Amino acid sequence: MPGLSEVMAQLEAAGTAQNRKVYARHGAAEPMFGVSYADLGKITKPIKTDHGLARQLWDSGNHDARVLALRVADPAAMDEPLAGRWLGDVDNYILAEGLGGLCAQSRHARRLSDAWRDSPAEWTASTGWFIVTCTAEDPDVWSVQELRGLLHQIEAEIGDRPNRVRHEMNGALIVLALRDGNLRRSVLAAAGRIGPVKVDHGQTGCKTPEVAPYVERTLAHRARQAERASKRKAS
């Protein structure tokens, strides 16, 4: 297994000035090397899972190293104190969603989301809501009735929450709609009442998707996948 110094050297060699400019527009701060996601994938592949290395990478303070840490960390080894400590370092949506995705795979997903979603701090609440997005279709994490409670909360609060929290709440609406047909009808009705969710994405090409069209496209994509799988099974 490669050690911290070797991995940091790989990250530095893969970084580019152009990527640093792009990531800065997305909120990432120095220090960073500017490693493309393609190169991050190549560096991640031989490491697979190494929780000790992940902790060292995170503690380096380097943005690219922290993105890599979230890829090689072991969800089974994530405990609530470590998740909270890493959350305290999050200062952009890239890390917020990365940490949320990692925590969503841990046994603490529900407790962490419950602890973070209502925070007035933008990155804390964003991470908590992103965990909802990652787990809303899992009946072991949420009941449909609990998701209905989140739907009511989103409709009541989304207009007044911080910028990136609005984006993550909107994403949660989409996945809530994919969980259950009856819930989907409630989500689409609420989305109609909410209207377009305004999020400032700065100098980037990112957009916050409209709920109804995104849900429709996702369901159509899943139907095509199911049809292809059925044909393969029959052949």
Side-chain angles (χ1 to χ4, degrees):
M1 279 287 191
L4 176 64
S5 59
E6 180 181 347
V7 173
M8 291 297 289
Q10 291 175 339
L11 290 170
E12 184 172 12
T16 69
Q18 179 59 32
N19 282 337
R20 288 194 292 275
K21 290 179 182 178
V22 171
Y23 296 159
R25 289 199 294 270
H26 286 267
E30 297 284 356
M32 64 174 158
F33 298 128
V35 183
S36 71
Y37 286 133
D39 284 328
L40 274 170
K42 294 175 184 176
I43 295 171
T44 301
K45 190 172 181 179
I47 300 172
K48 297 181 181 177
T49 300
D50 187 332
H51 199 68
L53 176 61
R55 296 182 70 139
Q56 291 178 308
L57 288 166
W58 188 273
D59 289 343
S60 74
N62 180 280
H63 173 77
D64 303 280
R66 285 179 166 172
V67 173
L68 180 60
L70 295 168
R71 293 184 174 209
V72 303
D74 183 358
M78 285 297 294
D79 57 31
E80 294 181 55
L82 181 61
R85 184 166 71 79
W86 284 12
L87 178 67
D89 295 325
V90 168
D91 58 1
N92 61 76
Y93 82 86
I94 301 168
L95 296 180
E97 292 190 347
L99 180 59
L102 174 62
C103 291
Q105 300 173 63
S106 79
R107 65 184 184 277
H108 308 291
R110 176 62 187 274
R111 287 196 298 274
L112 292 172
S113 179
D114 287 347
W116 295 346
R117 288 193 312 276
D118 296 334
S119 171
E122 181 173 19
W123 302 122
T124 300
S126 295
T127 308
W129 280 104
F130 192 71
I131 294 174
V132 175
T133 299
C134 294
T135 58
E137 292 189 87
D138 187 345
D140 291 332
V141 180
W142 304 95
S143 70
V144 171
Q145 191 58 38
E146 288 170 330
L147 294 178
R148 284 192 177 279
L150 294 182
L151 171 58
H152 295 321
Q153 181 183 1
I154 292 171
E155 183 173 4
E157 297 180 4
I158 192 169
D160 298 319
R161 298 301 295 272
N163 188 61
R164 193 69 196 188
V165 181
R166 297 196 297 275
H167 179 83
E168 304 302 356
M169 282 179 149
N170 188 80
L173 280 177
I174 290 169
V175 185
L176 264 61
L178 299 173
R179 169 68 182 270
D180 171 90
N182 289 328
L183 182 57
R184 182 179 309 130
R185 286 188 282 274
S186 298
V187 169
L188 295 178
R193 291 189 295 269
I194 292 168
V197 177
K198 296 181 180 179
V199 176
D200 182 2
H201 291 279
Q203 297 177 329
T204 74
C206 297
K207 296 180 180 179
T208 296
E210 292 185 40
V211 172
Y214 198 98
V215 169
E216 183 178 354
R217 288 195 300 270
T218 302
L219 291 173
H221 175 68
R222 290 184 177 184
R224 290 192 297 270
Q225 285 184 314
E227 183 179 1
R228 286 194 292 267
S230 179
K231 288 180 179 178
R232 286 195 299 269
K233 187 175 180 180
S235 62

